[in-house]
Amino acid sequence: MKKILIVEDEEELANNISEILSNLDYKVAAIVDNAKNALEFLESNEVDLVLMDILIHGDLDGIDLAYKIREKYNLPLVFSTAYSGTEYLERISSEIHEGYLLKPFSLDSLKTAIFFGLKRHEEKSGKENRAKGSLKIMDKGYLVPVPYSEIVYLKADGLYTKVYTKAKSYLVRDILKSFEEKLPADIFLRVHKSFLVNISFIASFNAKKVNLGETSIPIRRGLYKELMGKLNV
């Protein structure tokens, strides 16, 4: 069971969040309302994620606390704030967090933020290992080793397959099933007869489609529950 540290100075809200997280099968490690207590708790306790308000009691705000946590611990951080002004959003638009919530937030948005916060952190931690694997593609007479971590999805196109990466796309004379057999099943999933996706790029999904950033891809009937299990939702 994943353990979460809540850093929140609104006592009633903190207790509500704690109750919701417990119902979602997370363990609330502690609730603190300032940076000093948060750092003291982390010194002697292990947690899996920190859910943190930006404006907290004490001299350090949540963003300053995030920098201090990142100096010592490899932990995912999810911010929560009631402020949507540029001043705050610019300060948190960096690599110091895995997500943020705008108050007031719903149960679903909290659930999603925590899930993807943990998932993004796992992706960052495993990035180096995943990059060691690559798909060899012939492009203009050259053999190009494309890292698995760069491949977003593959699309069947008759006897060819289009391979879409973060930077460009390739057209390869081979069927999609062949790629499905080559690529690691823990990273790539055949969501539709015509599509094979890198699950680490799935931003959101429902019973009809998955969203990979700006790209939406249909999913086959009956895949929704399998996808939920694959992503540990």
Side-chain angles (χ1 to χ4, degrees):
M1 183 179 291
K2 298 293 186 182
K3 293 179 287 187
I4 298 175
L5 171 63
I6 298 174
V7 185
E8 170 62 60
D9 63 356
E10 296 182 44
E11 184 177 357
E12 184 176 352
L13 176 59
N15 290 331
N16 288 339
I17 293 173
S18 176
E19 183 177 352
I20 292 171
L21 292 177
S22 296
N23 290 334
L24 293 174
D25 292 329
Y26 293 109
K27 178 178 176 59
V28 176
I31 298 173
V32 296
D33 64 3
N34 63 81
K36 180 176 180 294
N37 288 348
L39 293 171
E40 287 178 352
F41 182 84
L42 290 173
E43 284 180 4
S44 55
N45 297 274
E46 291 186 1
V47 303
D48 297 292
L49 179 142
V50 180
L51 176 61
M52 182 158 52
D53 189 12
I54 290 179
L55 296 182
I56 54 178
H57 292 318
D59 296 329
L60 297 180
D61 66 15
I63 298 173
D64 296 324
L65 173 57
Y67 288 126
K68 286 190 168 293
I69 290 175
R70 279 289 160 87
E71 284 179 350
K72 297 183 65 175
Y73 308 101
N74 182 28
L75 289 173
L77 304 170
V78 174
F79 285 118
S80 64
T81 178
Y83 298 90
S84 58
T86 304
E87 172 191 355
Y88 291 97
L89 296 183
E90 284 182 348
R91 289 187 69 196
I92 63 175
S93 60
S94 70
E95 290 301 311
I96 64 167
H97 68 86
E98 278 69 35
Y100 67 90
L101 284 161
L102 287 176
K103 299 177 181 177
F105 45 78
S106 66
L107 184 152
D108 284 341
S109 61
L110 174 61
K111 178 181 178 180
T112 300
I114 297 296
F115 168 74
F116 282 109
L118 291 165
K119 182 171 180 289
R120 289 186 185 110
H121 184 256
E122 290 174 359
E123 290 167 6
K124 288 179 182 178
S125 299
K127 186 176 181 180
E128 182 177 344
N129 289 333
R130 290 199 305 274
K132 292 179 181 177
S134 62
L135 179 66
K136 310 307 189 285
I137 294 176
M138 287 299 300
D139 184 47
K140 299 177 182 177
Y142 292 91
L143 188 64
V144 181
V146 181
Y148 296 150
S149 58
E150 292 292 311
I151 301 171
V152 181
Y153 70 98
L154 301 90
K155 179 182 180 181
D157 187 8
L159 295 176
Y160 290 81
T161 297
K162 290 182 179 179
V163 181
Y164 293 85
T165 73
K166 292 191 288 185
K168 60 180 293 185
S169 62
Y170 302 89
L171 183 62
V172 184
R173 187 178 174 83
D174 206 349
I175 61 174
L176 187 61
K177 182 173 177 56
S178 177
F179 286 98
E180 185 180 11
E181 294 170 351
K182 295 175 186 176
L183 295 168
D186 61 328
I187 299 176
F188 293 89
L189 179 65
R190 187 80 171 263
V191 298
H192 182 274
K193 65 179 181 179
S194 299
F195 293 95
L196 184 66
V197 306
N198 184 334
I199 62 174
S200 67
F201 285 98
I202 296 178
S204 61
F205 65 95
N206 58 28
K208 295 183 178 180
K209 64 183 180 180
V210 295
N211 296 313
L212 312 172
E214 297 180 355
T215 303
S216 294
I217 290 176
I219 65 175
R220 66 178 186 267
R221 185 184 299 274
L223 181 71
Y224 184 68
K225 288 185 178 180
E226 180 184 341
L227 193 54
M228 294 274 283
K230 190 84 172 180
L231 297 176
N232 296 316
V233 178

